Amino acid sequence: MISNSGGTRQIIKIISIFLIFLLVKDKNDLSRYIFLIGFSQLLGSISLWPYLKNSIEWVRLKEINPFQHFMPTILLFIPTITIQIYVIVNRIMLGRMASQGATAQFDFGDRIVKLVLAIATATGTVMLPHIANKFASGEIKAVKESLYKSFEFVTSLSIPMMLGLMAISDKFAPWFLGNEYILTGKIIYLEAPIILLIAWSNVTGLQYLMPTHKEHEYTISVTAGAIVNIIANLVLISLWKANGAAIATVISEAIVLLIQLNFIKNELDLKEMFSSSWKYFLSGLVMYIAIDTLNSILVMNFLTLIVEAVIGIIIYVFLIYILKAPIIITALNIPKCQFKLEKS
């Protein structure tokens, strides 16, 4: 039930992203942009309520013991607040060490990357309760199988998203934001790798460490990421301003992922997790070259964006099919499984 509600919320978020791309054209559409952001947040929160009606029951006042969950809640709160700190520290340090213009360039570039990232990490909300339930039931083998499948899925999804965004970034930014944001295209290009890095750490951290009661390890990873982010910002912003902040973001997310991989290396088979990644990288690279070539020829507009997306998807899916990537095999087996279920 919780996974359904999380899935609904992610669907609303994805729809809001498409509406922003479709309806927000220039600076005069600021009110429309604010409404879409605010309304999607409101609708996402409201969508959770129907799933609670069969899960909530009245408890007598004397039976309420709120402090028994206080420490576990604090353990969950610490990594959450730590993540929020290094999400905004780039902007704060950039504002102090560079110009307000550089801060605006970075802010918009970061937001565009995070919009794409929301799609790649949508599985995290859905998978967490499933894995927590399996772990509580002692189904360790099932937990590992779910993790491997989830990792394969986010890898197959985030690599083309990352490379596709990088391929169109130079023309997309000034078209979508205005000519004064030409430099934002470079920021998007440099920061795009976090789509893959955070997608991976979403699996290792939120989908494994958290549901298996390893909050301490998760907290260490995000705290280390925050510290590295501050140090990297001090060095790189002074050298390359907004571009430096983007690179610092990538470095900090890479540190988070590496620490989490170190924590799980004795519990999960990392070789199995990454064994098919080269197939997605190779397919994504060919797709990137094709889209980048098209992008250099065509004038950026909504139709061009759609054409490039469709061509990119066709190339990527065709190549991972030729390479027999596991995600294709899984997708082809879905109708067979449904047929067997219907017969039984």
Side-chain angles (χ1 to χ4, degrees):
M1 185 176 292
I2 294 174
S3 62
N4 289 338
S5 62
T8 303
R9 195 172 187 180
Q10 292 298 335
I11 289 170
I12 292 171
K13 186 183 292 187
I14 292 168
I15 292 173
S16 71
I17 292 171
F18 282 113
L19 288 175
I20 288 171
F21 278 100
L22 186 64
L23 301 177
V24 179
K25 303 296 184 183
D26 53 44
K27 61 184 179 181
N28 296 320
D29 294 325
L30 176 61
S31 58
R32 190 177 294 176
Y33 173 76
I34 294 172
F35 172 78
L36 288 171
I37 292 293
F39 186 71
S40 65
Q41 291 287 339
L42 175 64
L43 199 60
S45 298
I46 292 174
S47 70
L48 300 176
W49 286 92
Y51 297 96
L52 296 175
K53 62 181 180 180
N54 297 322
S55 303
I56 296 178
E57 59 183 48
W58 290 104
V59 178
R60 288 183 295 180
L61 191 61
K62 64 180 183 179
E63 295 177 353
I64 296 177
N65 185 12
F67 297 103
Q68 65 177 328
H69 300 297
F70 182 73
M71 284 309 298
T73 303
I74 290 296
L75 289 174
L76 292 174
F77 174 74
I78 292 172
T80 302
I81 196 66
T82 303
I83 291 170
Q84 290 304 313
I85 289 171
Y86 84 84
V87 162
I88 64 172
V89 75
N90 302 59
R91 294 168 176 80
I92 295 172
M93 296 182 72
L94 195 56
R96 292 299 183 97
M97 299 173 67
S99 64
Q100 290 300 316
T103 306
Q105 296 277 357
F106 174 80
D107 185 56
F108 279 106
D110 182 68
R111 288 177 184 275
I112 289 171
V113 172
K114 295 293 174 60
L115 284 174
V116 178
L117 176 64
I119 302 173
T121 58
T123 58
T125 308
V126 177
M127 290 298 295
L128 191 151
H130 285 295
I131 293 173
N133 182 57
K134 289 176 181 177
F135 182 78
S137 303
E139 301 176 46
I140 305 302
K141 185 178 179 181
V143 169
K144 292 181 179 180
E145 288 177 355
S146 295
L147 257 294
Y148 295 146
K149 289 179 180 178
S150 182
F151 195 85
E152 190 78 30
F153 177 76
V154 300
T155 301
S156 67
L157 190 64
S158 56
I159 286 176
M161 286 183 172
M162 172 187 71
L163 293 172
L165 185 60
M166 291 171 72
I168 66 170
S169 59
D170 61 332
K171 285 190 176 180
F172 175 78
W175 169 72
F176 185 64
L177 299 169
N179 290 327
E180 63 270 30
Y181 289 96
I182 291 175
L183 297 178
T184 303
K186 183 68 172 179
I187 295 167
I188 293 172
Y189 188 93
L190 292 171
E191 194 178 336
I194 72 167
I195 295 171
L196 179 61
L197 294 172
I198 295 180
W200 278 346
S201 63
N202 184 270
V203 177
T204 56
L206 288 179
Q207 295 184 37
Y208 186 75
L209 292 177
M210 292 293 280
T212 56
H213 306 305
K214 293 178 174 60
E215 296 92 348
H216 180 66
E217 288 86 345
Y218 181 72
T219 301
I220 290 173
S221 69
V222 296
T223 302
I227 294 170
V228 169
N229 186 251
I230 293 171
I231 296 171
N233 273 319
L234 285 171
V235 177
L236 298 177
I237 290 176
S238 61
L239 292 174
W240 300 309
K241 304 299 186 280
N243 289 342
I247 296 170
T249 302
V250 175
I251 293 172
S252 62
E253 294 298 345
I255 292 297
V256 172
L257 175 65
L258 288 173
I259 292 174
Q260 291 180 1
L261 289 174
N262 183 62
F263 281 133
I264 68 173
K265 66 182 180 181
N266 296 323
E267 300 173 33
L268 298 172
D269 188 345
L270 298 186
K271 186 177 179 180
E272 182 176 344
M273 287 173 64
F274 288 97
S275 62
S276 300
S277 297
W278 70 270
K279 296 181 179 181
Y280 304 114
F281 273 112
L282 180 59
S283 302
L285 184 60
V286 175
M287 180 204 73
Y288 169 85
I289 294 170
I291 296 177
D292 186 57
T293 303
L294 275 174
N295 197 59
S296 64
I297 298 171
L298 302 175
V299 176
M300 177 57 70
N301 52 47
F302 188 72
L303 180 60
T304 298
L305 193 64
I306 296 297
V307 169
E308 289 177 345
V310 171
I311 291 175
I313 290 170
I314 292 171
I315 292 172
Y316 182 74
V317 172
F318 174 74
L319 287 174
I320 62 174
Y321 177 80
I322 294 297
L323 293 171
K324 294 182 171 59
I327 194 70
I328 291 293
I329 297 170
T330 302
L332 292 175
N333 285 334
I334 290 175
K336 296 178 182 177
C337 294
Q338 290 178 337
F339 180 73
K340 289 179 181 179
L341 288 172
E342 288 175 0
K343 285 190 71 176
S344 60

